[in-house]
Amino acid sequence: MAEGRRADIGIVGLAVMGQNLALNILEHGFVTCIYNRTSDKTKEFLNAEGKGKDFMVAYTLKNLVDSLKVPRIVMLLVKAGTAVDEVLSKLVSLLEPGDVIIDGGNSEYIDSTRREKKLKAKQLLYVGSGVSGGEKGARHGPSLMPGGNIEAWPLIKNIFQSISAQADGAPCCEWVGPEGAGHFVKMVHNGIEYGDMQLISEAYHIMKQVLKLNNDAIGEIFEQWNRTELESYLVEITAEILKFHDEDDQSLLDKIVDKAGQKGTGKWTTLSSLEYGIPLTLVGEAVFARCLSELKEERMLASKCLKGPDNLTSNYPTCSKEEFVEDIRKALYASKIISYSQGFMLMRNTNCAFGWKLNLGGIATIWKGGCIIRSKFLGDIKRAFDREPNLVNLLFNEFFTEAVHSCQESWRRVISYSVLLGIPVPAFSTALAFFDGYRSSWLPANLIQAQRDYFGAHTYKRSDHPDEPVHTDWTKSPSKQSPAPAAQP
Ligand SMILES: *[C@@H]1O[C@H](CO)[C@@H](O)[C@H](O)[C@H]1NC(C)=O
Ligand SMILES: *[C@@H]1O[C@H](CO)[C@@H](O)[C@H](O)[C@H]1NC(C)=O
Ligand SMILES: *[C@@H]1O[C@H](CO)[C@@H](O)[C@H](O)[C@H]1NC(C)=O
């Protein structure tokens, strides 16, 4: 190895994300050393996308480590799971206290927490970073969610904030929190993405089946919505998808089998919300809606024997099409506010669950650009947390309170008509049910407590003595009414 020249960062793993991040980092002026366990992979890359680029190259991990400036920064882009642990076990013996290891893969946050703690004991600074935006993002500006050992942040900040996407002049990269926080935040991002996609699909369903609009017309509407509060990447691509014509000039969308796949991040977000008792109902419904869609064969059978409501004229919206489209837009906006409120509730709860105080305003900034859920709306969320860093719930912020209030009537109308017409709107309706529950100072949970105490002596608390659990023998009511006298024959 040539004396003198040292790399700012080493990249381990040259699958597509590793390649694109390496190119992105290099083009931002950082000396970058690349490594892959299979040297053929490295050579292939240097003959293709990496051709003519000024990379430093290492063919062993030791070479890689030796090529780096101290403190060393090594970023892993290998498959989540055991592959990460394998590379780590080799790296640990080569690195020195104060060096940084970043995992930029799709690791589960629990693994990142475990690794951060283990490496901290060896004085190595571990960072688990969510990377969003896919291949294109990695190449031209991803949204980056680093978390872990905060001592690493000053060392990696410049590289990270240089290569990330920028939105309104701010980098879409901030430190999010300790331990596995980076991967946790990425997981919540993906959960919210599931919710956004389901909400958009429900809006499409209603426009298609209630308003009988064709795909071009619906695409036109999404394009208009992209110029409102709903301006976002997902609304934008939806407009393009709806207007896309196949070679025979028919809509391609109509030819796609209606079974939605999933890779598990929505499920993980939901499991985590169940584990910590945070009602992330919208992501849950979005995951289940995909599961239901998968049961295509059963649905085909059911569609022949299970009847929906009669097609009564009186069940159709009485307003004009334009007015109803605006109702749907508002229903989508209000539901989206609920979904993000729920997502931020889960992230806020990490304070109780793991003692992590996450940088919530920073997270909104990160998501504003580069990632799949990027939108104008995240700017409003950022402003809400700037004004009140300890905001308990987005719905308490004046801007969002007013937004939900102004959408409320439309939202209820859209759900009511959908129910009357037999159109499933699980995400719209769970969002409204959450809103109605959250704003209720009283809920019928007193009855549930009584039932639990009746059959299982689980005890309950009385409003007049809220600190003492009590149990009642419900079969012996002290003031039981004496039975009404039997009617005289
Ligand atoms: C090497 O590259 C392949 C793909 O080209 C990738 O799947 C793998 O994770 C990389 N592994 C390491 C340890 O470099
Ligand atoms: C959606 O809005 C963004 C931002 O204004 C714009 O860049 C994009 O071209 C719009 N997309 C469509 C399909 O209208
Ligand atoms: C249901 O009724 C509406 C309004 O009368 C009509 O436009 C529509 O075509 C009917 N749909 C079906 C499936 O019969």
Side-chain angles (χ1 to χ4, degrees):
M1 185 147 316
E3 281 298 318
R5 193 165 184 239
R6 291 287 172 115
D8 297 302
I9 186 167
I11 300 287
V12 174
L14 293 173
V16 70
M17 290 300 280
Q19 294 188 12
N20 284 331
L21 275 172
L23 287 163
N24 183 356
I25 295 172
L26 186 83
E27 277 169 21
H28 279 88
F30 300 100
V31 181
T32 308
C33 187
I34 53 172
Y35 165 82
N36 190 281
R37 191 185 41 205
T38 315
S39 33
D40 284 351
K41 292 284 171 202
T42 313
K43 289 174 187 155
E44 258 170 48
F45 171 62
L46 289 170
N47 281 321
E49 288 82 354
K51 204 178 175 83
K53 308 277 180 186
D54 192 19
F55 283 112
M56 288 178 73
V57 183
Y59 289 104
T60 65
L61 272 179
K62 172 137 187 7
N63 282 166
L64 179 82
V65 167
D66 289 344
S67 76
L68 298 171
K69 285 179 194 159
V70 181
R72 302 169 186 84
I73 301 172
V74 182
M75 183 162 184
L76 315 185
L77 288 139
V78 300
K79 200 168 180 304
T82 51
V84 176
D85 287 313
E86 276 165 28
V87 180
L88 282 180
S89 68
K90 292 180 192 141
L91 267 179
V92 162
S93 55
L94 299 169
L95 294 173
E96 290 177 329
D99 289 345
V100 178
I101 304 178
I102 306 164
D103 174 11
N106 285 320
S107 295
E108 282 172 29
Y109 74 91
I110 294 171
D111 288 335
S112 299
T113 294
R114 168 175 59 79
R115 290 168 185 149
E116 194 273 336
K117 287 182 176 164
K118 200 169 152 194
L119 292 179
K120 193 180 209 160
K122 299 186 185 334
Q123 291 171 280
L124 294 174
L125 313 181
Y126 194 70
V127 176
S129 180
V131 177
S132 178
E135 298 168 27
K136 259 196 182 165
R139 182 71 181 82
H140 301 291
S143 162
L144 295 173
M145 299 154 236
N149 192 323
I150 192 154
E151 287 175 43
W153 183 226
L155 305 174
I156 66 169
K157 185 174 177 179
N158 185 25
I159 299 180
F160 264 51
Q161 293 196 334
S162 303
I163 66 161
S164 75
Q166 313 281 317
D168 303 330
C172 298
C173 172
E174 281 292 337
W175 188 254
V176 300
E179 302 179 350
H183 284 123
F184 186 88
V185 169
K186 173 63 171 27
M187 177 193 77
V188 177
H189 164 282
N190 286 33
I192 289 179
E193 176 185 314
Y194 271 60
D196 277 356
M197 290 166 75
Q198 177 64 23
L199 289 171
I200 290 173
S201 306
E202 290 176 16
Y204 153 66
H205 193 173
I206 301 169
M207 287 191 267
K208 185 179 168 80
Q209 296 209 325
V210 179
L211 297 178
K212 315 272 188 245
L213 296 174
N214 67 29
N215 290 350
D216 285 310
I218 302 173
E220 203 56 51
I221 289 166
F222 276 105
E223 201 173 310
Q224 285 163 22
W225 288 0
N226 185 45
R227 292 193 281 270
T228 69
E229 293 99 327
L230 294 180
E231 180 188 317
S232 60
Y233 173 70
L234 282 170
V235 164
E236 181 183 335
I237 67 166
T238 302
E240 284 173 14
I241 290 167
L242 280 153
K243 293 205 227 165
F244 192 95
H245 288 226
D246 206 1
E247 277 141 15
D248 56 4
D249 205 31
Q250 302 296 304
S251 168
L252 177 57
L253 182 59
D254 287 343
K255 299 179 185 174
I256 297 180
V257 178
D258 54 330
K259 288 162 76 169
Q262 47 184 317
K263 277 166 70 184
T265 41
K267 181 180 88 179
W268 286 113
T269 312
T270 307
L271 284 172
S272 157
S273 76
L274 289 170
E275 171 119 34
Y276 299 108
I278 303 298
L280 226 74
T281 60
L282 212 129
V283 180
E285 286 291 353
V287 172
F288 287 134
R290 290 194 192 188
C291 301
L292 182 60
S293 81
E294 273 282 333
L295 307 176
K296 174 83 173 172
E297 289 69 29
E298 267 176 67
R299 288 193 286 116
M300 301 275 280
L301 285 176
S303 71
K304 300 204 178 76
C305 58
L306 302 178
K307 271 184 56 174
D310 287 327
N311 186 21
L312 300 176
T313 316
S314 61
N315 288 350
Y316 278 80
T318 48
C319 58
S320 71
K321 263 188 187 174
E322 289 69 28
E323 284 169 321
F324 198 59
V325 166
E326 180 60 4
D327 278 346
I328 301 169
R329 189 185 73 79
K330 288 183 169 170
L332 177 46
Y333 183 40
S335 304
K336 182 167 163 136
I337 293 173
I338 299 298
S339 180
Y340 284 68
S341 301
Q342 293 181 345
F344 276 85
M345 281 167 82
L346 181 63
M347 291 193 291
R348 192 169 181 277
N349 183 254
T350 56
N351 201 357
C352 304
F354 319 115
W356 304 344
K357 201 162 184 304
L358 298 187
N359 175 4
L360 299 179
I363 291 166
T365 310
I366 296 172
W367 291 350
K368 249 203 118 227
C371 61
I372 305 297
I373 64 171
R374 62 182 182 257
S375 69
K376 185 168 129 182
F377 175 75
L378 281 155
D380 299 314
I381 298 182
K382 165 82 169 70
R383 274 185 286 281
F385 284 109
D386 282 348
R387 275 188 60 178
E388 292 165 81
N390 291 317
L391 187 62
V392 169
N393 189 302
L394 273 185
L395 292 168
F396 292 143
N397 171 265
E398 206 180 315
F399 175 85
F400 289 108
T401 313
E402 276 172 23
V404 171
H405 285 167
S406 75
C407 292
Q408 172 156 203
E409 266 181 55
S410 295
W411 191 14
R412 293 185 190 280
R413 236 182 340 255
V414 167
I415 293 170
S416 305
Y417 282 122
S418 301
V419 170
L420 286 173
L421 292 165
I423 301 203
V425 283
F428 278 174
S429 40
T430 199
L432 182 58
F434 174 89
F435 177 69
D436 284 333
Y438 194 68
R439 62 177 192 81
S440 294
S441 63
W442 180 85
L443 287 170
N446 53 338
L447 179 55
I448 291 172
Q449 284 300 82
Q451 291 165 334
R452 294 176 68 238
D453 189 56
Y454 189 115
F455 64 69
H458 293 300
T459 74
Y460 58 93
K461 285 174 185 160
R462 292 177 59 110
S463 345
D464 48 0
H465 294 287
D467 297 327
E468 290 164 44
V470 251
H471 168 61
T472 297
D473 181 352
W474 293 86
T475 57
K476 295 199 194 100
S477 179
S479 60
K480 208 173 222 163
Q481 304 273 308
S482 39
Q488 294 296 325

